[in-house]
Amino acid sequence: MSAVRLPPRARVLIVMMSAVGDTVHVLPVVTALKRHDPGIQITWVLQPGPASLVRGHPDVDEIILFERRAGWRAFTGIRRQLGGRKFDVVINLQVYAKASMVTALASAPVKLGFDRARARDWNWLVTTNKIPPRGQRHVQDQYFEFLDVLGVPHEPVTWNLGPWEHERDAQRAFLARLDRPAASLVIGTTREEKDWVPERWAELADALYERFGLQPVLVGGRSERELATERVILERARHPVVSTLGVPLRELVGIFDASDLVVALDTGPMHIATALNTPTVALIGYYNPKRIGPYRRFYDLLVDAYGDPGEDYPITPEKRPGRTRTITVDQVLEKVAVWDRKYRGRARMANL
């Protein structure tokens, strides 16, 4: 399809509402748009959780909350907030029904979405323009296809995720609790199939403390599974483990920024840590890491349980249940040893 021309100081509505990881992937789209034209006005429809990560970002002019827990009333609220407003372009980066409905409610001459092969839930019916069809790619690169159609360069890829200056005191307070460098452990996900074995987290924590001189720090939410994993780790670990489960996402940004190493499951915080350029050992087995893994950074630290040894698998959305739990502690420690050789001592926290 032909390129879509953005008028000067365009009013852009971004529809990507749910996952924290996808929200991180949208940020380089936002920063590229603002770099292209600082006068662009960006409004972003987000659910409250991801919105708490983005709120305060210098390139996001407005956030419209989508209250998913309100059910159908959430769309009534969106309709009320969008009523009477006109945008120049809607960028629909999410292919599911709720995003389709929000896109349909917005008023704009151009509603840009995925090609029909990659769209779902009648998403193609509510968009006026589609990005050109092509095969599966990393999610981040798929989002950059929208910028290509808009004639906006996406390089250099920047997230500008913080920490903001007013968050530095909380970061310093976190560091004051530690007497050795931090290794943040992201111990839970929203899908049980992506979780690791709690006892192995405890074994890993001790190895990080004893062999690498690191302070294990538990990070994540306070779901039932995460709290159960936390209990096992605290009961079994021979050395002190610091738990920060349940801290707000903006505090988590500060913790990751202050950490020397992150060990993370396949979940949103893994992408936050990567965006912050904090060396991250990613444990991935359920989803295809070529599609959803760390973007452009620390692929040498990836523990890939998705593919069989030597398998050159294609980029697909296929799931492979049971793979994450096959990861051994020794496999993770091999990647920590790579970090120790290549990344330890990297200058961090220049603004602290």
Side-chain angles (χ1 to χ4, degrees), residues 71-86:
W72 285 102
R73 288 178 295 174
F75 296 101
T76 303
I78 291 292
R79 183 178 182 180
R80 183 175 59 253
Q81 294 182 78
L82 294 178
R85 301 183 60 176
K86 294 187 180 299

Side-chain angles (χ1 to χ4, degrees), residues 60-79:
V60 178
D61 298 290
E62 179 187 16
I63 293 173
I64 293 179
L65 288 181
F66 178 81
E67 300 284 356
R68 180 183 177 186
R69 293 182 179 179
W72 285 102
R73 288 178 295 174
F75 296 101
T76 303
I78 291 292
R79 183 178 182 180

